[in-house]
Amino acid sequence: MALFCPTKYSKNTKIIEPWEYYQNLKGELSDEDAKVSLAKFMRQNLRFTVELLTGQQLQPFQEIILKGLLNRNFNLCIFSRGIGKTYLAGVFCYLYCIFNPNSKVLIAGPTFRTSRFILSAIRDLVQRKEARLLAQAFGKPSFLPDYWTWEINGGSIVAIPLAGGSGKIRGFRANAMILDEFLEISKQTVEEVLMPFLVSPQDLKERLSTRENENRLISEGRMKEEDRKVFKNKAKLIGLSSASYTFQNLYTTYREWRDIIEDEKRITDGSYFVSQLAWDAVPPDFIDKSIIEMGQNDGVSSNAAFQREYGAQFTDGSDSYFSMKKMIKQSLIPGDEPSVSFRGNSNKKYILGIDPNLSNSENADDFAMCLLELDEERKEAVIVNQYAVAGKDMIDHINYLYYLVTHFSIVLIMIDNTGSQFIESANASEIFTRNNIKLNTLEWDTIAENEDFVKETIRVKGQYSLMGHKIVVKQYFTTEFLSKSNSYLQSCIDAGKVWFGSPANGSDMVFNKLSSTEIPFDLVGFKNNTDFIDNQDDLIRRTKNQMALIEFSCNSRGSGESYDIPMKLKRGKGDMRARRDSYSAFLLANWAKKCYFDMINYKSNKPVATNTFQPFMV
């Protein structure tokens, strides 16, 4: 681990070791002096403090990071996945509130689920029997649908959603703010919505009184303007994220803050701290062994995706088959339409792609669905609803399919043939049979060309029946299909023919609309609208991230094409495991979009042959 501190930030502060502290104690201390001395000692020895409060021992690198966060105003942590930034953020929250009574820490993220995750980690920690001392500092938590808050030492730790943010959270004020998944928060939101939270200083009453006295002394000629007291900036902003691409705002912020730190002559109102931790910067026992194995394989460690996710390095994004830069360009911003949706527009038609996985193991692939809203005039489509879960039972997937079929006007469904029995199970389920819904299969050679394409299109158009629900196409993942469908998806992104729907979080109008939408929670698997909103926004990001991992390869003869995540990246377990199922569902949905437009818009120029008498008027 390399450390750098500019001279302008350096302090001649000697760290007091426990034995040194006790050796220097002389005579008796008053209760007040004893409390102050203990607080100073604990503030300078964080490893001792954390172990005393929770029974847990900090690693040296964790203590270094925490000291940086506590001593600097603007902090940016770029960590490898699996290092534990959520845990460190939780430790910072309770330490900051303990050392700064009556303080408020605000936690925010692109979704409410993201922001409250840190507070959930603190709750789990406080409930441990080893954390009895820490638990005494906390009051009773309040977990409301709009925000979570937990009182501590006269202040509070508050988790808020950025959903509908500017309208619902402008009333909050904070002394310290933690922005989890900083990458996903727009620069505009940080500057216009979140930064104002820090403008109200903790010692506001003292500052106002001091300024009043200074104004009086200056007016009496007993003090000069330049002699006013300079109040130290105590506001604190902490951004947490994994690394991303050099064309994104996160990298711009990262470079700006590093330049400020490294420029000895640049004096700013506030100090800065930047930390980058890769998988190999922490003790081997501290990180998942599968990540260590990946890092020790040269073919993986040099992979750009691995460098971003686990090496904490920014890359230019030119390595993947699907350009992240172009996908971001095709992503609608908050407030744009269409956004993620819970109910279909009565004037729109929808396409559904399904990449099924019938295993109910949590370590299995996701069962994924992708719903596209069609723009028939422009021949374009937008992702507006998704589903991706692992470890669920068949009935959960069937319920979600029923929700989509009954809440959106779906005109075509394309499913991976290997899981086609899912449709049969859905048709036989109680909820489908009770509501007299049966999805019928439409045989279709979707990769036919030239004359075969014409014949196939005419045949399918004659059999297609929306009223009879004959709208399901079983797609075989042949080499030819993979080549054509991936090439077509790439060209659709390049040509602006497919879009990622705008997120609900960040738009008051969209968030309020979806929050008031009636949802069949028993079908979608969520307990409230906010969680469902967060899930949909998260799946949009997940799809793009999965696509950015896709690499194209073929054998030396030019055959055997493959479009997949690098094999070694799949070795991770649980949340650390790289997946591709949302991408596959999107691939199917986009190909189904092409097939649907081909079928609906096809017009034969050949006259219809007939041997029967044609009556006519005379």
Side-chain angles (χ1 to χ4, degrees):
M1 177 185 293
L3 301 175
F4 168 76
C5 180
T7 304
K8 61 184 179 181
Y9 287 170
S10 63
K11 295 180 180 180
N12 296 321
T13 303
K14 189 175 185 294
I15 300 300
I16 304 175
E17 299 294 345
W19 60 86
E20 267 189 285
Y21 173 76
Y22 289 112
Q23 285 178 347
N24 293 331
L25 287 178
K26 304 294 182 182
E28 294 185 1
L29 297 176
S30 66
D31 287 345
E32 185 68 22
D33 289 339
K35 291 177 182 178
V36 171
S37 298
L38 177 61
K40 289 182 177 180
F41 167 73
M42 295 178 70
R43 175 65 174 78
Q44 293 173 327
N45 296 272
L46 298 182
R47 295 180 71 185
F48 168 82
T49 302
V50 171
E51 186 172 4
L52 176 68
L53 294 175
T54 68
Q56 296 181 328
Q57 293 184 340
L58 290 177
Q59 293 287 332
F61 82 90
Q62 291 176 314
E63 185 177 18
I64 292 172
I65 298 299
L66 284 170
K67 287 185 176 181
L69 300 182
L70 289 168
N71 293 331
R72 301 289 179 255
N73 301 111
F74 301 98
N75 305 270
L76 190 59
C77 299
I78 309 297
F79 288 176
S80 159
R81 295 200 179 277
I83 282 184
K85 67 177 186 294
T86 299
Y87 170 76
L88 269 181
V91 174
F92 166 82
C93 286
Y94 69 72
L95 288 180
Y96 181 84
C97 290
I98 288 174
F99 292 132
N100 300 275
N102 307 314
S103 294
K104 179 175 287 186
V105 176
L106 195 66
I107 306 171
T111 67
F112 191 20
R113 180 173 56 183
T114 302
S115 58
R116 71 191 183 198
F117 190 58
I118 294 176
L119 202 52
S120 295
I122 298 174
R123 179 180 58 182
D124 294 340
L125 175 62
V126 171
Q127 291 175 347
R128 290 163 47 94
K129 63 179 182 180
E130 298 87 353
R132 289 189 299 271
L133 281 178
L134 178 61
Q136 294 176 27
F138 282 91
K140 185 177 181 180
S142 176
F143 300 142
L144 300 176
D146 290 347
Y147 66 93
W148 286 10
T149 182
W150 204 350
E151 295 181 354
I152 173 174
N153 199 24
S156 61
I157 303 172
V158 182
I160 60 172
L162 292 183
S166 58
K168 292 191 174 183
I169 64 178
R170 287 192 186 277
F172 288 95
R173 288 294 177 266
N175 310 107
M177 179 182 299
I178 298 176
L179 302 180
D180 200 7
E181 299 298 340
F182 190 69
L183 164 66
E184 304 294 344
I185 304 175
S186 69
K187 187 175 182 179
Q188 180 182 6
T189 299
V190 173
E191 294 178 350
E192 298 182 6
V193 178
L194 299 177
M195 287 303 292
F197 289 108
L198 303 175
V199 300
S200 181
Q202 186 175 354
D203 56 352
L204 179 60
K205 186 176 181 179
E206 177 191 348
R207 293 192 183 199
L208 293 176
S209 177
T210 301
R211 290 292 181 242
E212 184 178 347
N213 290 332
E214 289 175 344
N215 291 338
R216 178 175 53 80
L217 292 174
I218 291 174
S219 64
E220 295 174 356
R222 298 163 57 189
M223 180 179 177
K224 295 181 179 180
E225 186 71 33
E226 57 268 24
D227 294 331
R228 285 183 181 272
K229 181 178 179 178
V230 177
F231 288 96
K232 184 179 179 181
N233 182 1
K234 295 183 180 180
K236 195 170 293 294
L237 177 68
I238 299 173
L240 307 173
S241 182
S242 55
S244 62
Y245 300 91
T246 54
F247 57 81
Q248 291 184 295
N249 287 329
L250 176 62
Y251 181 72
T252 302
T253 302
Y254 163 80
R255 284 306 320 173
E256 288 177 354
W257 290 13
R258 280 199 56 171
D259 290 344
I260 291 173
I261 294 171
E262 294 170 359
D263 188 348
E264 293 282 3
K265 297 181 180 180
R266 188 172 178 180
I267 306 300
T268 57
D269 181 21
S271 54
Y272 291 77
F273 173 66
V274 173
S275 58
Q276 267 180 292
L277 284 180
W279 67 274
D280 54 355
V282 300
D285 295 336
F286 194 79
I287 199 165
D288 191 290
K289 291 183 179 179
S290 62
I291 298 175
I292 297 176
E293 293 173 359
M294 286 189 288
Q296 292 173 341
N297 185 316
D298 291 337
V300 177
S301 61
S302 60
N303 177 271
F306 184 86
Q307 290 177 356
R308 288 191 303 270
E309 294 294 312
Y310 302 109
Q313 299 296 312
F314 293 88
T315 63
D316 62 11
S318 61
D319 55 294
S320 59
Y321 183 79
F322 298 103
S323 166
M324 177 59 86
K325 190 171 186 178
K326 292 179 180 178
M327 286 190 286
I328 291 177
K329 184 180 178 181
Q330 290 304 114
S331 300
L332 299 174
I333 62 175
D336 285 353
E337 291 290 347
S339 66
V340 294
S341 303
F342 294 166
R343 287 181 178 272
N345 187 321
S346 58
N347 298 320
K348 294 292 184 178
K349 297 176 181 178
Y350 298 84
I351 297 286
L352 180 63
I354 305 177
D355 181 21
N357 176 39
L358 305 183
S359 170
N360 60 359
S361 168
E362 293 184 357
N363 292 324
D365 292 338
D366 284 337
F367 189 114
M369 304 187 212
C370 178
L371 188 73
L372 301 181
E373 180 178 295
L374 299 180
D375 184 329
E376 295 185 275
E377 182 179 350
R378 297 185 178 184
K379 302 297 185 293
E380 297 177 4
V382 184
I383 299 179
V384 294
N385 195 288
Q386 289 180 280
Y387 176 83
V389 295
K392 295 289 186 177
D393 294 328
M394 175 76 79
I395 188 61
D396 297 305
H397 312 318
I398 291 174
N399 284 341
Y400 202 90
L401 176 63
Y402 178 80
Y403 155 69
L404 292 177
V405 169
T406 55
H407 287 70
F408 297 87
S409 179
I410 298 177
V411 296
L412 194 65
I413 299 173
M414 184 170 286
I415 184 171
D416 181 355
N417 182 71
T418 60
S420 57
Q421 69 185 80
F422 168 67
I423 298 297
E424 299 172 7
S425 299
N427 287 333
S429 67
E430 192 272 338
I431 192 170
F432 270 73
T433 55
R434 184 179 72 242
N435 292 281
N436 197 30
I437 296 177
K438 183 179 180 181
L439 301 174
N440 295 303
T441 302
L442 183 66
E443 296 296 333
W444 195 342
D445 180 5
T446 65
I447 59 175
E449 296 181 342
N450 303 323
E451 292 183 2
D452 290 336
F453 166 80
V454 173
K455 294 178 181 179
E456 191 69 4
T457 302
I458 294 174
R459 183 187 65 79
V460 170
K461 193 169 185 177
Q463 295 182 0
Y464 174 82
S465 174
L466 186 58
M467 292 295 294
H469 292 120
K470 197 169 187 178
I471 58 174
V472 179
V473 178
K474 299 177 182 178
Q475 180 60 57
Y476 291 87
F477 270 57
T478 63
T479 300
E480 187 176 4
F481 166 73
L482 287 172
S483 177
K484 288 184 176 181
S485 60
N486 277 282
S487 178
Y488 178 67
L489 179 55
Q490 184 189 61
S491 64
C492 284
I493 293 172
D494 292 347
K497 290 298 182 179
V498 66
W499 298 79
F500 298 89
S502 68
N505 290 288
S507 169
D508 293 344
M509 179 183 67
V510 175
F511 181 81
N512 292 335
K513 174 186 175 182
L514 295 183
S515 294
S516 59
T517 300
E518 186 177 348
I519 299 173
F521 296 121
D522 58 324
L523 299 180
V524 301
F526 290 90
K527 296 181 179 180
N528 56 62
N529 290 52
T530 300
D531 287 349
F532 195 27
I533 289 171
D534 287 353
N535 171 259
Q536 288 300 311
D537 283 356
D538 181 62
L539 289 178
I540 291 283
R541 288 190 292 270
R542 185 187 303 183
T543 302
K544 287 183 284 190
N545 290 336
Q546 288 184 10
M547 294 176 66
L549 295 178
I550 297 299
E551 292 182 344
F552 167 76
S553 62
C554 62
N555 59 31
S556 58
R557 296 184 179 181
S559 60
E561 294 181 358
S562 172
Y563 301 82
D564 205 351
I565 294 172
M567 184 60 66
K568 297 294 183 179
L569 289 182
K570 297 181 179 181
R571 289 186 177 180
K573 299 179 180 179
D575 292 338
M576 304 308 302
R577 179 184 170 199
R579 299 177 185 270
R580 48 162 286 170
D581 312 295
S582 293
Y583 143 74
S584 297
F586 181 29
L587 183 75
L588 284 164
N590 189 65
W591 187 252
K593 174 203 72 175
K594 172 190 177 299
C595 296
Y596 178 77
F597 283 146
D598 285 344
M599 175 186 67
I600 295 300
N601 297 313
Y602 179 78
K603 295 181 180 179
S604 176
N605 295 322
K606 297 181 179 181
V608 178
T610 177
N611 294 320
T612 60
F613 172 75
Q614 297 287 326
F616 58 93
M617 295 293 293
V618 295

